[in-house]
Amino acid sequence: MKKSIIVMSLVALTLTSCGTKKKIAALEAQNKECQDLLNSTTMKLNLCLSEKEALSKQNEYLKQNNTDLINSSKEMTVLTTKGAQNLEKSLESLKEKDLKISRLQDALTKKDSVTLALVTSLKSSVGISDPDIEINVEKGVVFISIADKLLFKSGSYVVSDKAKEVLAKVAKVVNSRPTFECMVEGHTDNVPFTGNAVLLDNWDLSVKRSTAIIRVLTKDLGVKPSQLIAAGRGEYIPLVENNTVENRSKNRRTRIVVLPKIDEFYEMIEKEMKNQTK
């Protein structure tokens, strides 16, 4: 009986020992599996942490870049707004300049039209084709040049009767335009004037001839004195050299310069030009 118990005990112990080994082996296998899983998870965790750090840096970069872009966008908006304002101002400035240029062109066109009408009127009124009388435009100004042989005797400032006929036709045009001004210029050659109790030299003679014509225009032909200007240029603005008798004859002349509101035109033009420089 005792032997049976002992045998049974040994069998049980053997069976128990075998079961424990299997459990241990199973636990070891499970532990190894868990360790492998842990290692794998640790590696994945480290990889994730690395990726997280990289993504975090990238995120910070993107945030900074986004901030920079926003600031740049704001600056661009400001610049664009200023650019638009500057462009608008430039366009307004161009419009103003175009308007000023248009006004200048209108003024010049009007002046040219008045000048052309005046020349036509003078030529029609004078109505003569005499080589000693010229009606022309010089630098935008209308003038009538009359040789002295039609106006005065040599060395004299007494207006001839033939000259009065020509001056009467000029006066008719001037009287029809009360806003016009006429400057009467006397010119001589360079032969020295010997002088007398009244005149000292050619300059005196040129001025005296100018005032003599003005007296005819005002006293005999009804031109308003306020429209006339007396001027003597003497020998100092010759048409040709005073080296022949014929040339000296050309230089002895009286020039009537007709100014149809020239001051008004030039004042407007000058004002517009000054405005353009502001």
Side-chain angles (χ1 to χ4, degrees):
M1 184 69 176
K2 290 183 179 179
K3 290 181 179 180
S4 297
I5 292 172
I6 293 170
V7 170
M8 291 178 65
S9 297
L10 290 172
V11 171
L13 181 61
T14 302
L15 292 173
T16 301
S17 176
C18 290
T20 301
K21 287 181 180 180
K22 287 182 180 180
K23 288 182 179 179
I24 291 172
L27 288 174
E28 286 179 350
Q30 187 177 5
N31 181 60
K32 184 177 183 304
E33 183 179 349
C34 289
Q35 187 64 42
D36 291 342
L37 181 61
L38 177 61
N39 291 337
S40 176
T41 303
T42 301
M43 291 178 64
K44 289 182 180 179
L45 176 62
N46 291 333
L47 181 61
C48 288
L49 290 173
S50 298
E51 290 179 352
K52 178 184 177 182
E53 184 179 0
L55 289 172
S56 178
K57 291 181 179 179
Q58 185 177 5
N59 185 50
E60 290 298 322
Y61 170 78
L62 290 174
K63 283 183 179 180
Q64 184 62 44
N65 191 47
N66 186 54
T67 302
D68 293 342
L69 287 174
I70 291 173
N71 293 334
S72 178
S73 177
K74 290 180 180 178
E75 291 176 359
M76 287 298 293
T77 301
V78 173
L79 290 174
T80 302
T81 303
K82 289 183 178 179
Q85 292 173 347
N86 291 336
L87 180 59
E88 186 175 354
K89 289 180 181 179
S90 297
L91 290 174
E92 288 296 326
S93 178
L94 286 174
K95 288 180 181 178
E96 290 178 3
K97 288 186 178 180
D98 286 341
L99 180 60
K100 290 173 184 176
I101 291 172
S102 178
R103 288 175 180 172
L104 291 177
Q105 290 174 338
D106 290 343
L108 292 172
T109 299
K110 186 176 180 181
K111 183 180 79 67
D112 291 340
S113 298
V114 172
T115 300
L116 178 61
L118 178 59
V119 170
T120 303
S121 180
L122 282 168
K123 288 185 176 181
S124 175
S125 297
V126 173
I128 56 176
S129 56
D130 193 317
D132 295 319
I133 300 177
E134 292 183 2
I135 299 173
N136 216 327
V137 178
E138 183 177 294
K139 295 181 180 179
V141 177
V142 179
F143 70 90
I144 307 165
S145 184
I146 308 173
D148 268 12
K149 65 183 180 181
L150 295 180
L151 301 174
F152 309 102
K153 292 180 180 180
S154 179
S156 171
Y157 53 86
V158 178
V159 181
S160 68
D161 292 335
K162 187 175 181 180
K164 291 179 181 179
E165 294 177 8
V166 177
L167 293 175
K169 295 175 180 179
V170 175
K172 181 180 178 181
V173 176
V174 176
N175 287 333
S176 68
R177 293 169 173 80
T179 58
F180 285 13
E181 288 185 343
C182 293
M183 182 166 62
V184 182
E185 291 182 348
H187 296 261
T188 69
D189 57 27
N190 68 340
V191 176
F193 184 75
T194 56
N196 54 36
V198 179
L199 305 176
L200 298 178
D201 51 25
N202 282 332
W203 216 332
D204 269 359
L205 177 60
S206 66
V207 174
K208 195 68 176 176
R209 285 180 170 177
S210 173
T211 55
I213 290 174
I214 284 177
R215 287 190 180 91
V216 171
L217 291 172
T218 55
K219 293 182 178 181
D220 300 341
L221 302 174
V223 178
K224 292 188 298 183
S226 60
Q227 289 182 256
L228 301 174
I229 304 167
R233 309 304 295 268
E235 64 196 68
Y236 301 106
I237 307 179
L239 293 175
V240 291
E241 290 187 29
N242 286 292
N243 54 4
T244 65
V245 173
E246 183 180 357
N247 283 356
R248 284 192 291 272
S249 176
K250 290 180 180 179
N251 290 330
R252 294 191 300 270
R253 68 201 187 278
T254 296
R255 192 169 79 156
I256 301 175
V257 183
V258 186
L259 310 172
K261 292 186 178 180
I262 294 297
D263 291 342
E264 293 181 16
F265 289 124
Y266 283 129
E267 182 180 352
M268 180 170 63
I269 291 171
E270 183 179 3
K271 182 179 179 181
E272 292 294 344
M273 294 301 291
K274 286 181 179 179
N275 289 337
Q276 287 192 27
T277 59
K278 290 181 180 180

